[in-house]
Amino acid sequence: MCGIVGYIGEQNCVPVLINGLKSLEYRGYDSAGVAVLSGDTIGIRKTKGKVDNLSNLLLNEPISGKAGIGHTRWATHGAPSDMNAHPHFSNDDKIAVVHNGIIENYQELKAELEKKGYVFQSETDTETIAHLIDDYYKQGHDILESVRKTLERIEGSYALGVLCTDYPDQLIAARKESPLIVGLGKGENFIASDIPAILNYTKKAYILDDKELALVKADSVSLYDIDGNEIKKEVYTYKWDVEAAQKSGYDHFMLKEIYEQPKVVRDNLAQRFSEDGKSIELDGIKLGRAELENINLIYIVACGTAYYAGLVGKYLLERMVGIPVNADVASEFRYKEPLIDEHTLVIVISQSGETADTHSALKLAKSKGSRVLGIVNAVGSSIARDADDVLYTLAGFEIAVASTKAFSAQVVAMYLITLHIAMELGRIDNDTFEEIKQAMDLLPKQINDILTKAVPKIRRFVNKYIGSKNVFYIGRGLDYVVCMEGSLKLKEIAYLHSEPYAAGELKHGPIALIEEATLVVGIVTQEALFDKTKSNIKEVKARGAKVLAIAMQGNRSIEEVADDVIYIPRTHWMLTSLLANIPQQLFAYYMALELGEDIDKPRNLAKSVTVE
Ligand code: G6P
């Protein structure tokens, strides 16, 4: 939530800030702004809406300078408006601040500052930071010390960028629980919430840890802990190239990411089997027989799409390993006193590695003595760093807010973990392992086949039902989990009301909502449950529903009850979720496209949810 970027060097910082903010829009796009130092003043331009609005404003009211900070906002405190947009500044306009996070004690601080005569112009929590820094500064501290003292007073989370007119050769950055990196260039340096913002200029960065500050100048960076002691850190070199953060000819990042899935799955599989192909190697994670025999419960915790990948894992682990598996969304888990201990393996799943609730769940699990395995996409992220073991999902940058390739990579991770545990504990034999491995090796090509064949069919179906206002997704077992993800995707980007339902539960309520032409997506890839779900589809058909079925090749009798069918290639039962989800991604994408929605930046959403 919210993205920040900062630059100091020889170039005019405004284009650098704007490019950076555009790459960070996945973190929020309610408003955007920049503060730029030129001479002994700070010029501020900020406006409601996306970064394009800010670019237009800058065309009409240009500013330039060699040091600046920028912000793209996902509103928490105060509505999206010009006034609530960052940067916020001190009453004398000498200090400007951008912030990602939440200041929990801002009301007390605000009351204290108002008593001292500070006038607040916005409804944000962030503005207290600008005035508090100013208060310390006016007491005679230098700007770095003023920021440090401010951090001692604020409760909550922050990634901060600070500019001060009296220190035109520096900007200050700090972080706690919101990500921040300091990018290292030649004669220029950067700060950013995430690497895509600065990838055009550098791949080298310090990844700040909690309660660390950086004093950033054009030719040097000094790092400090919260007590003001200078510290040293290793420089991290990112492997991604600029292309990874561009659309490369696709109309949307989401479509590009959908089409990247064969490669993502191939990359994940290529690196995870031993040379002889007879066992699984999980990035050196030590989950061998001894550790696993100590585990009597697995708990899977995540948010959003990552949670649904976790649910796939729950079904598989219970069925193939025989250990009880609980799964919870992180926002529930962290406040429910979960029954976990040192015999519990907690698996947290997160694309960004920064989701606040998932991160807090991880910390809670560790405090209870549980071992935490993180399945994470973003290298070096908070969850990756705090988990006991990490399995990286190798999906590359995912920029569209609606997750596609990261989900597929998470599902593959669940396949690998399930197989690994099942083998270590002797719950499956070598022949079964071999059979599943062979089926897994086919997955990239099978995804490709779906992408090639399904698009025209899905587009026809979308055109036929474009006026639908309600869409139901029904399925059983693993297919039910796929329904949840499909329904979420449609809500996220097409803004259509949709409900995923366990097909057998339909009769207990939702079937009352089925009427003439209600759209139903039926997922029927589980052979063992085929007849059952087919009957449920018949029931909705009998009440006038139009049905799109997603079934496995060969099961043609589904055509007796469905209006349209998308077939996925035949695969092992445990692998169907990955394939069945691909047509759903396309369905949501083309629905949103036909409805003219902003696919990569759906309203009210952000990709990285760093507030609870
Ligand atoms: C947000 C994103 C989703 C994502 C969820 C969890 O809601 O829009 O796409 O699935 O957060 O994010 P994480 O980074 O933890 O996987």
Side-chain angles (χ1 to χ4, degrees), residues 22-44:
K22 284 195 171 155
S23 330
L24 292 176
E25 272 193 306
Y26 72 86
R27 306 179 66 87
Y29 28 81
D30 288 333
S31 63
V34 291
V36 174
L37 256 174
S38 63
D40 55 1
T41 58
I42 294 179
I44 295 192

Side-chain angles (χ1 to χ4, degrees), residues 303-306 349-353 355 358 401-403 410 492 606-607 609:
C303 297
T305 287
I349 309 173
S350 177
Q351 186 285 127
S352 63
T355 302
T358 311
V401 167
S403 180
Q410 289 159 351
E492 282 178 311
K607 186 154 192 71
V609 181

Side-chain angles (χ1 to χ4, degrees), residues 159-262:
L160 279 184
V162 181
L163 274 184
C164 176
T165 50
D166 294 338
Y167 295 82
D169 63 338
Q170 58 183 246
L171 50 102
I172 294 169
R175 94 152 248 179
K176 181 179 161 240
E177 291 167 19
S178 294
L180 195 63
I181 59 175
V182 180
L184 306 170
K186 289 204 175 78
E188 57 184 8
N189 289 310
F190 310 80
I191 62 170
S193 297
D194 198 358
I195 185 70
I198 54 174
L199 205 51
N200 276 324
Y201 313 99
T202 183
K203 289 184 183 177
K204 291 189 186 307
Y206 291 122
I207 301 175
L208 293 189
D209 281 299
D210 279 354
K211 299 189 178 176
E212 288 180 353
L213 293 94
L215 178 65
V216 185
K217 299 186 175 185
D219 50 11
S220 70
V221 173
S222 311
L223 304 170
Y224 301 91
D225 66 17
I226 192 82
D227 300 318
N229 305 308
E230 192 157 358
I231 53 168
K232 297 270 169 243
K233 285 185 98 73
E234 275 185 23
V235 174
Y236 183 80
T237 304
Y238 288 84
K239 294 193 184 73
W240 293 317
D241 56 20
V242 178
E243 181 72 4
Q246 287 168 356
K247 283 191 208 152
S248 314
Y250 287 93
D251 288 341
H252 297 96
F253 280 111
M254 183 177 174
L255 195 61
K256 178 188 177 212
E257 288 158 6
I258 287 174
Y259 276 86
E260 281 172 350
Q261 291 176 110

Side-chain angles (χ1 to χ4, degrees), residues 1 26 301-308 349-359 375-378 383 398 400-404 406-407 410 485 488-489 492 602 605-610:
M1 317 244 107
Y26 72 86
V301 186
C303 297
T305 287
Y307 172 66
Y308 298 139
I349 309 173
S350 177
Q351 186 285 127
S352 63
E354 300 293 347
T355 302
D357 282 323
T358 311
H359 194 205
I375 298 179
V376 181
N377 195 41
I383 292 174
E398 192 180 60
V401 167
S403 180
T404 53
F407 173 79
Q410 289 159 351
E485 172 56 11
L488 177 66
K489 219 72 331 169
E492 282 178 311
L605 299 180
K607 186 154 192 71
S608 185
V609 181
T610 53

